[in-house]
Amino acid sequence: MKPDFEAIQNSGEIRTYITQADASLLALGYTEHSFAHVTRCAHMAADLLTRLGYEERQVELARIAGYMHDIGNVVNRVDHAQSGAVMAFRILDKMGMAPEDVALVVTAIGNHDEGTAYPVNAVAAALILADKSDVRRSRVRNRATISFDIHDRVNYAVERSGLKLDTDAKTLTLELTIDTEISSVMDYFEIFMNRMLLCRKAAEYFGLEFHMIINGSAVL
């Protein structure tokens, strides 16, 4: 494995694709999918595997997959996971990454979108959990949209979010603090239920039970 996470972060080519992909999503009215999101996903996926005792190679590959997972949006939002996987293959192969490492990153990217996703390996499961739990107010670009856009309203309502791993109890808990004057808990489940079910599958890959706590109350 030649390119490490630092090399991926410093790649002008990858940064261009992330920037242009997010510009397309901005035009389509989506929440932020730029460097804040992908960097957060990279660190969360890597941290999860570290705390679960995975070797450094897997941790580094999860970090890379997290950073690159949304580049396919530069092609189109539809099937962006598959487009991104193909793009990542070309980039990482060109950078000299070993085929077995490329395969893990490409598989994770290709399996992160809830429409076609499945936690087929540890890197993919970690990426799913990191990506789907990144719900936060700062991802909303224009506060004016929360009056009519349910995705923006729900994201803006989330004041705090975090994943809590309890290795002794074998649980992984998504804890959210939601301003219910902005958005109801029901609104959250209306748009994110499929994501939460996918998180449950990803947690099960690690032998963990997935739970959700919203405003101090267990809801899943």
Side-chain angles (χ1 to χ4, degrees):
M1 174 176 153
K2 290 185 178 180
D4 57 9
F5 180 63
E6 184 178 0
I8 298 299
Q9 268 195 313
N10 291 333
S11 166
E13 180 181 9
I14 294 171
R15 293 184 67 85
T16 296
Y17 296 148
I18 292 172
T19 299
Q20 293 303 314
D22 186 57
S24 294
L25 294 182
L26 172 61
L28 290 167
Y30 281 81
T31 53
E32 179 266 325
H33 283 69
S34 190
F35 296 103
H37 172 61
V38 299
T39 301
R40 182 183 174 105
C41 286
H43 292 316
M44 287 180 67
D47 181 64
L48 180 59
L49 290 192
T50 297
R51 295 171 66 192
L52 288 170
Y54 281 81
E55 62 181 26
E56 179 54 35
R57 169 179 168 271
Q58 297 254 61
V59 171
E60 186 75 348
L61 293 176
R63 196 175 283 118
I64 290 170
Y67 192 76
M68 297 181 70
H69 78 279
D70 269 339
I71 59 174
N73 285 302
V74 78
V75 178
N76 198 291
R77 180 61 180 175
V78 176
D79 296 330
H80 75 280
Q82 288 71 38
S83 300
V86 173
M87 292 174 64
F89 168 79
R90 177 185 178 278
I91 295 166
L92 297 175
D93 180 62
K94 185 173 63 175
M95 292 178 75
M97 181 178 280
E100 58 269 26
D101 294 330
V102 173
L104 281 176
V105 173
V106 166
T107 300
I109 293 174
N111 278 279
H112 86 270
D113 187 57
E114 57 265 30
T116 53
Y118 199 84
V120 294
N121 58 41
V123 176
L127 174 56
I128 287 168
L129 289 162
D131 183 38
K132 304 314 171 193
S133 64
D134 187 18
V135 184
R136 51 188 164 81
R137 176 168 292 182
S138 56
R139 294 191 71 182
V140 178
R141 306 176 195 263
N142 182 359
R143 185 177 175 181
T145 61
I146 67 175
S147 62
F148 60 86
D149 187 303
I150 188 172
H151 287 83
D152 280 353
R153 184 163 65 252
V154 169
N155 275 277
Y156 192 80
V158 177
E159 299 174 334
R160 185 183 65 84
S161 66
L163 276 177
K164 180 180 179 181
L165 172 65
D166 188 329
T167 53
D168 293 330
K170 295 187 180 302
T171 59
L172 186 66
T173 305
L174 176 60
E175 297 183 348
L176 301 173
T177 301
I178 293 178
D179 184 341
T180 55
E181 292 187 2
I182 296 175
S183 177
S184 69
V185 173
M186 187 61 70
D187 281 347
Y188 180 92
F189 280 105
E190 179 181 341
I191 63 171
F192 289 149
M193 177 58 81
N194 287 340
R195 297 185 187 185
M196 295 304 97
L197 294 175
L198 182 57
C199 284
R200 175 182 285 175
K201 289 180 183 178
E204 288 173 352
Y205 178 91
F206 297 117
L208 304 170
E209 289 186 3
F210 181 74
H211 298 285
M212 179 183 293
I213 295 176
I214 297 180
N215 293 351
S217 298
V219 295
L220 188 67

